[in-house]
Amino acid sequence: MTLFDLARKNAWRKPLRTALLMLCVSVAFLIYGLTASFVSGSQGTSAASDDILGVMSAAGRAQPLPMAHMNRIAADPDVAAINYTSRMRGFVAVEKNVVAVSALDPQRLMAVSGKELGLTPELIDALAAQRDRVLVGRALAEAQGWRVGQSVTVTGFDMARRGGSRDWSFGIAGIFEGENASTDTYFMIADYDYLNAARARNRDTVDAFVVRPQASASAGDLAARIDKMFANSAAPTRTQSEKQFLEAFLRQYADVGLIVDLVVSAAFVTLLMIVINTMVFAVRERTFEIGVLKTLGFSGAQVMGLILAETLFIVVVGGGVGLGLAKLAVSFSDPALGLVFSMPVLARAVVIIVILGLATGALPAIKALRTPVIAAFRQR
Amino acid sequence: MTTANHLEPYIQLSGISKAYAIGGETVPIFSSLDLKIPSGDFVAIMGPSGSGKSTLLNMLAGIDRPDAGCLRIGSSRLDQMGEAARASWRAHCMGIVFQFYNLLPMLTVAENVELPLLLKSLSARDRRGRVEKVLELVGLADRARQYPVSMSGGQQQRVGIARAIVADPALLLCDEPTGDLDRKSADEVLAMLRMLNREFGKTIVMVTHDPQAALHANRTLHLDKGAFIEERRAA
Ligand SMILES: Nc1ncnc2c1ncn2[C@@H]1O[C@H](COP(=O)(O)OP(=O)(O)OP(=O)(O)O)[C@@H](O)[C@H]1O
Ligand SMILES: [Mg+2]
């Protein structure tokens, strides 16, 4: 037996109470794990870049823009690099297995998005080697269980081929990792020319231009200049950073980040009070025993340590179970939800577990410290 | 029979005073108490209820402090030591046997006995070895894995004794160790205490209400009105 065993046995003296406490903690961490995965996943905007600008039609993001816009945008001295893209949404095998394909110019890809998507010259070469190749993002590849060399067929929701079929076959040329764990990699990159040449409608148009400004330039000013350039044209534009775009998109529904923070904080504050209250009771119940331990020679610090270890034990087990369930739920969730149980999510959870364990244990531990040793010999 | 060394008493109290504030009034328990107990002695302390026997034992255990006076055990001046130092002293120098055993219900017999050893830097193997040895000594080696609730009072008190001696302290303090036991169990426990005194040289101070229990000690001190009257017997 060790002091930790003693703390553990203390925790299990009332198995139902301890199990319920652990359940509370695990539910709180399940909520945390899911919401944090949501924020860190592709739906989140935290990883979205502020540097890269997207130029879309002012009439709506589904409206095409003429390719002719490109040269005029590229002529602005603040534009370092530019690419054009058409996005196809479709599904693989079953209709609810939604995937997105960004058709881009492979030659322009590296300069514009290389850093954010974690691209390498080898990946670009692999993509360009044949027209029907795609690069698949790590998140998408893992969710679908895809490997390099395999071929996949995407059925476009809107984008049909000449001849009427909506099935597009691609060979997977490589997998890109994204700049970091929270980069959205739940999509694939195809060759614009391949889609453009084969599609039935909107040929030679793009859904957006992707612009990387010069490092010294103000992205905001550049965006305003681009929109002004086309304000009176047949196809006016709306230029936003990727981050602005995603935020605006999500805010259509609600301020997701704020809601997530509120839900998670409410869950943790409630949890904190439940655990503190229960542990203070547990310590009060054991006043006499704590007196006995002190009589045997346990110091105030050791008795405090025992109570802290006991709460930590409950919070660590509960938190571990909750995070495990969250991880499980994320891996079985619909990939289109874009949940990512990333390392930062886990690391933050571990920090919260430790802080929560110490915070909830502190008050009961101080109560134990103050339990007079003399009580051991008196009343019974 | 006593191997008393009267020049160097192991326990020495001189001029001890202690008072409690009860309802705004300070009630003195002792005003100037003196006591000398040589190393290896076995002393029974008797006295009417409320005479301060438990208070005295608490002070000897380093749980309570005298208001004034000198309290020395071995080379430790308990009256001058702080809380943490006294906790450490208790862990290393003193074993205690309670009237109601005070075993922890969620621990097995062996784990209860092991408790004081957690405060020493011993390997798990050494701890197990010591626990086995003292359980053997109190005749409960085959009960190591049982829980205290399943045992009789006499057996639980033997576990209490095992816990008190497992860290091998020189001093054993017992507050009415047989107060909750039938005659037969009480005699077993007392025989065990006498054996610990004679064969292992433990100095024992035992508070009791039972004159028969006191007969097992080398001498009996009667505490009344804040002073001792000694009753000497031939051993
Ligand atoms: N913490 C305390 N606060 C106030 N008074 C106390 C406290 N502890 C003991 N007393 C009082 O001190 C006196 C001596 O108490 P003590 O417990 O030492 O007596 P005792 O001789 O052990 O009695 P008993 O034989 O009933 O166990 C009693 O009058 C008791 O009420
Ligand atoms: Mg008493």
Side-chain angles (χ1 to χ4, degrees):
Chain A
M1 193 175 62
T2 62
L3 284 173
F4 176 72
D5 292 332
L6 184 57
R8 198 169 43 81
K9 281 167 200 271
N10 263 329
W12 283 123
R13 299 169 73 150
K14 301 234 159 140
L16 181 64
R17 177 164 78 186
T18 299
L20 285 175
L21 272 186
M22 286 176 170
L23 184 70
C24 280
V25 178
S26 69
V27 167
F29 276 91
L30 177 61
I31 293 173
Y32 169 79
L34 289 179
T35 51
S37 296
F38 177 77
V39 172
S40 99
S42 57
Q43 300 291 319
T45 60
S46 57
S49 172
D50 240 342
D51 304 336
I52 296 180
L53 296 175
V55 184
M56 273 164 278
S57 169
R61 61 190 205 107
Q63 301 300 311
L65 288 171
M67 188 64 110
H69 277 14
M70 187 166 78
N71 287 337
R72 291 181 61 192
I73 298 171
D76 191 300
D78 279 352
V79 172
I82 184 167
N83 204 349
Y84 47 92
T85 178
S86 278
R87 266 173 90 84
M88 166 166 82
R89 275 166 48 78
F91 62 88
V92 175
V94 289
E95 203 141 337
K96 82 188 246 290
N97 187 21
V98 179
V99 298
V101 182
S102 287
L104 294 133
D105 179 3
Q107 305 314 322
R108 295 171 173 270
L109 194 52
M110 194 67 188
V112 180
S113 328
K115 173 171 162 280
E116 283 74 12
L117 298 180
L119 299 173
T120 60
E122 292 73 33
L123 281 172
I124 305 272
D125 288 347
L127 175 64
Q130 233 170 289
R131 294 181 83 189
D132 63 349
R133 292 284 175 87
V134 281
L135 297 178
V136 178
R138 167 64 65 194
L140 180 60
E142 278 183 3
Q144 307 280 351
W146 290 346
R147 301 194 187 296
V148 174
Q150 185 178 342
S151 93
V152 293
T153 300
V154 179
T155 307
F157 288 131
D158 304 314
M159 199 183 281
R161 306 174 72 108
R162 271 179 297 175
S165 162
R166 290 189 292 132
D167 289 344
W168 299 80
S169 292
F170 300 104
I172 297 175
I175 288 169
F176 62 93
E177 306 288 340
E179 188 176 15
N180 53 51
S182 45
T183 308
D184 173 16
T185 55
Y186 200 85
F187 68 99
M188 46 184 149
I189 299 170
D191 186 342
Y192 175 87
D193 286 347
Y194 171 59
L195 270 81
N196 190 48
R199 66 177 159 181
R201 293 187 303 121
N202 291 341
R203 192 136 349 112
D204 295 331
T205 65
V206 301
D207 290 332
F209 296 101
V210 191
V211 174
R212 179 180 287 282
Q214 299 284 6
S216 57
S218 152
D221 291 353
L222 176 59
R225 267 205 312 282
I226 293 172
D227 289 345
K228 199 161 158 239
M229 206 183 294
F230 301 109
N232 298 314
S233 76
T237 59
R238 178 158 160 69
T239 305
Q240 287 176 311
S241 74
E242 188 189 1
K243 193 171 196 137
Q244 285 171 328
F245 171 74
L246 274 174
E247 280 171 357
F249 176 73
L250 286 172
R251 211 162 276 134
Q252 288 179 323
Y253 305 105
D255 190 337
V256 176
L258 183 66
I259 290 175
V260 163
D261 285 349
L262 286 177
V263 168
V264 170
S265 317
F268 279 121
V269 168
T270 312
L271 180 70
L272 203 71
M273 295 196 298
I274 292 174
V275 180
I276 289 180
N277 191 47
T278 313
M279 286 307 294
V280 166
F281 260 106
V283 168
R284 189 170 309 155
E285 275 172 13
R286 286 185 224 148
T287 302
F288 185 80
E289 267 174 33
I290 291 170
V292 171
L293 286 179
K294 288 186 171 182
T295 308
L296 294 180
F298 282 69
S299 67
Q302 280 163 327
V303 170
M304 251 178 102
L306 275 177
I307 302 294
L308 275 180
E310 187 177 336
T311 40
L312 259 178
F313 170 70
I314 290 171
V315 173
V316 166
V317 172
V321 169
L323 290 175
L325 288 176
K327 168 106 184 124
L328 217 63
V330 164
S331 38
F332 283 109
S333 70
D334 188 335
L337 282 175
L339 300 181
V340 176
F341 192 88
S342 59
M343 268 323 275
V345 171
L346 186 64
R348 225 173 309 134
V350 169
V351 172
I352 295 177
I353 284 178
V354 173
I355 292 175
L356 198 70
L358 296 179
T360 49
L363 189 64
I366 289 170
K367 286 219 172 261
L369 172 73
R370 297 224 176 111
T371 302
V373 59
I374 194 107
F377 258 140
R378 303 284 174 207
Q379 95 269 336
R380 166 82 210 194
Chain B
M1 178 73 226
T2 24
T3 53
N5 176 352
H6 291 281
L7 298 174
E8 265 286 315
Y10 178 62
I11 299 174
Q12 183 164 25
L13 284 73
S14 41
I16 294 289
S17 66
K18 180 76 186 171
Y20 282 117
I22 302 168
E25 219 180 310
T26 40
V27 179
I29 313 295
F30 313 118
S31 48
S32 181
L33 190 72
D34 296 316
L35 174 64
K36 286 180 184 161
I37 297 175
S39 183
D41 205 354
F42 183 174
V43 181
I45 295 180
M46 299 188 73
S49 185
S51 56
K53 303 182 298 296
S54 294
T55 305
L56 173 69
L57 218 53
N58 279 344
M59 288 195 290
L60 291 178
I63 293 168
D64 208 351
R65 289 171 90 170
D67 295 337
C70 165
L71 166 49
R72 183 183 58 73
I73 299 180
S75 55
S76 303
R77 281 288 301 269
L78 287 183
D79 55 307
Q80 294 175 339
M81 283 156 62
E83 179 59 49
R86 280 182 285 130
S88 161
W89 179 85
R90 284 198 293 277
H92 293 97
C93 304
M94 181 275 298
I96 199 152
V97 180
F98 305 89
Q99 176 175 358
F100 296 103
Y101 335 122
N102 295 347
L103 303 175
L104 301 195
M106 76 290 185
L107 300 183
T108 62
V109 163
E111 287 165 343
N112 265 291
V113 173
E114 191 182 356
L115 269 183
L117 296 182
L118 298 182
L119 304 172
K120 298 196 145 205
S121 46
L122 289 172
S123 70
R125 222 172 117 227
D126 289 348
R127 289 202 302 266
R128 218 174 312 121
R130 286 223 204 176
V131 169
E132 273 167 26
K133 223 178 80 188
V134 292
L135 281 179
E136 195 85 48
L137 200 67
V138 299
L140 291 173
D142 53 337
R143 304 294 183 117
R145 289 174 177 283
Q146 285 187 10
Y147 286 88
V149 280
S150 66
M151 308 179 88
S152 72
Q155 288 170 329
Q156 289 193 51
Q157 192 58 297
R158 272 144 67 191
V159 177
I161 292 174
R163 179 179 64 184
I165 59 172
V166 72
D168 201 20
L171 175 63
L172 271 187
L173 301 175
C174 316
D175 196 1
E176 298 182 33
T178 58
D180 199 41
L181 301 180
D182 59 60
R183 188 73 261 158
K184 185 170 165 289
S185 305
D187 285 340
E188 278 171 20
V189 162
L190 289 163
M192 197 159 284
L193 289 177
R194 206 175 45 209
M195 180 270 290
L196 289 170
N197 171 247
R198 299 220 169 138
E199 288 175 33
F200 293 87
K202 305 284 181 205
T203 306
I204 300 180
V205 180
M206 173 178 75
V207 167
T208 184
H209 278 121
D210 174 10
Q212 288 216 52
L215 288 177
H216 287 78
N218 296 338
R219 58 189 175 121
T220 303
L221 296 173
H222 288 269
L223 186 59
D224 201 3
K225 303 193 179 69
F228 284 117
I229 310 155
E230 181 156 1
E231 170 189 302
R232 280 206 172 276
R233 291 189 312 271

